[in-house]
Amino acid sequence: METIMIKGNWTALSPITHFGSEEYGTTKLFNVQPTVINNSLSGEPEIDNIPVVHGNAVRGMLRRLLLDDYLTQVGYDLNSKKVYHFLFTGGILEALDPKDKGSINLTKKKDIRKYIPPISLLGSALGNQMIQGKLKVGMGNIVCDETKHYIEETGNTYSAYNLKATDFGTRLDDLEIGRQIQENEDKTKDKDEEEQHTQMKYEFETLIRGTKFTHEFILEDMLPHEKGCFKRMLELWDERPYLGGKSGTGYGRIKFEYNDIDEFDSQIYLDYLEENKDDIQRFLVGLCKQFR
């Protein structure tokens, strides 16, 4: 058994958005987790809600980057919705009769690990089986005064509350605007009856530029090409270094660093895909036929 812990840190180069399930009026709040902290005045322990980036959000983002690259490297176009969800979203479990063609046996699970290394890393579900991933993705914990007794990283001594900000955006109702323009251009209508364009303002919480996070990956019993696959995943992330939502409008850009990854070589993974490309393509064809 081999377990490797890869520790790292992120620094926000633009505001970060990562919404939780709660709202305050019309304001979407940043995702938080109840955390035992020390009161800054009394020093006594208490519970407070501290912002955190969920590990599942990081895992999902990295999955999409890695699987898209995998299909490009092996030159295969998917034609199955179930296999698409299996690769890109974590899959869907189905209750099946053992004789059903959608069931998966032990040999099939071994072949999936062999021919789809990203799934061996990240895991998924297909048919009636779960495939456990060899990669654990930690949560992104902010470095702040409230978490300093948990985190080895030194840096920000600000309160988590000082690292949060509220931003806003606006949306226009284009259909309503078109109707209003037509009515306003109506020569028979008095000018003082013209209506204003409909506009909606929305607000959301962010973590400010300069916020620091700690993060970790845990690798379990990985083969050499799987370690290379992990390194390839980080390289792809470095090409698109974003985290959270609204990256299309400039939010979520980060700089990240991880320790002890120089020993991993992504070329081993890329060579593995190239050497087994024909077998991988045949396997994917069969998988897509089995799971429509």
Side-chain angles (χ1 to χ4, degrees):
M1 295 176 63
E2 181 186 42
T3 302
I4 302 174
M5 179 178 291
I6 306 294
K7 293 186 176 182
N9 59 76
W10 311 330
T11 301
L13 302 182
S14 67
I16 304 291
T17 68
H18 178 53
F19 303 137
S21 60
E22 296 185 1
E23 296 183 2
Y24 182 75
T26 59
T27 303
K28 291 288 292 182
L29 301 182
F30 202 94
N31 184 62
V32 295
Q33 289 287 331
T35 304
V36 177
I37 67 170
N38 292 328
N39 186 284
S40 59
L41 297 178
S42 67
E44 295 296 318
E46 62 182 23
I47 297 175
D48 201 355
N49 288 323
I50 303 300
V52 64
V53 176
H54 206 289
N56 193 52
V58 181
R59 191 184 193 91
M61 177 269 298
L62 294 176
R63 178 191 295 274
R64 291 187 291 273
L65 285 176
L66 187 58
L67 267 300
D68 183 67
D69 177 72
Y70 164 80
L71 292 176
T72 299
Q73 296 294 334
V74 300
Y76 187 78
D77 294 324
L78 285 179
N79 57 6
S80 164
K81 289 183 178 180
K82 287 186 179 180
V83 175
Y84 173 86
H85 287 296
F86 170 63
L87 297 180
F88 285 92
T89 70
I92 302 172
L93 273 178
E94 299 175 295
L96 301 170
D97 186 282
K99 298 179 180 180
D100 193 287
K101 68 176 182 179
S103 62
I104 294 180
N105 56 31
L106 183 60
T107 301
K108 178 71 72 173
K109 291 178 73 171
K110 289 182 177 179
D111 286 344
I112 288 173
R113 289 194 182 276
K114 178 180 179 180
Y115 294 120
I116 315 179
I119 295 300
S120 190
L121 256 68
L122 296 166
S124 194
L126 185 65
N128 63 345
Q129 294 289 319
M130 290 283 294
I131 298 174
Q132 179 68 38
K134 296 183 178 183
L135 178 66
K136 288 180 168 44
V137 181
M139 293 189 178
N141 298 296
I142 65 171
V143 180
C144 61
D145 183 64
E146 289 84 353
T147 60
K148 62 186 178 184
H149 56 293
Y150 292 111
I151 296 174
E152 300 174 1
E153 181 75 16
T154 58
N156 292 343
T157 56
Y158 306 107
S159 167
Y161 292 93
N162 297 124
L163 297 173
K164 291 197 293 185
T166 301
D167 207 340
F168 75 94
T170 58
R171 290 197 180 99
L172 297 176
D173 186 340
D174 292 339
L175 292 177
E176 178 66 15
I177 290 172
R179 184 188 67 79
Q180 291 177 7
I181 290 175
Q182 288 182 344
E183 290 184 357
N184 292 339
E185 290 177 347
D186 188 348
K187 303 300 183 182
T188 64
K189 188 173 183 179
D190 294 335
K191 291 297 182 182
D192 58 0
E193 295 181 16
E194 292 181 3
E195 299 179 42
Q196 295 297 315
H197 295 171
T198 301
Q199 180 172 287
M200 182 187 76
K201 178 183 177 182
Y202 61 95
E203 296 182 328
F204 52 92
E205 276 190 338
T206 68
L207 291 182
I208 64 174
R209 182 185 290 111
T211 301
K212 295 183 181 296
F213 303 78
T214 62
H215 186 249
E216 67 183 25
F217 293 105
I218 297 179
L219 287 61
E220 299 178 336
D221 302 321
M222 288 195 181
L223 300 173
H225 70 275
E226 292 172 339
K227 293 177 181 177
C229 182
F230 171 74
K231 183 66 174 293
R232 177 64 176 171
M233 181 183 72
L234 294 184
E235 291 171 352
L236 294 168
W237 192 14
D238 192 47
E239 293 176 8
R240 299 180 182 180
Y242 287 89
L243 182 71
K246 299 183 71 66
S247 62
T249 52
Y251 294 85
R253 185 172 178 84
I254 64 169
K255 177 179 68 175
F256 65 82
E257 297 176 346
Y258 287 96
N259 301 327
D260 305 321
I261 60 172
D262 291 340
E263 62 184 89
F264 300 154
D265 186 358
S266 62
Q267 194 59 46
I268 295 176
Y269 164 68
L270 295 175
D271 289 345
Y272 178 88
L273 295 184
E274 184 62 32
E275 292 167 4
N276 294 277
K277 180 181 287 189
D278 292 341
D279 290 338
I280 290 173
Q281 289 180 349
R282 280 192 291 269
F283 178 75
L284 290 174
V285 168
L287 201 65
C288 289
K289 287 181 178 180
Q290 183 178 358
F291 296 95
R292 289 291 182 182

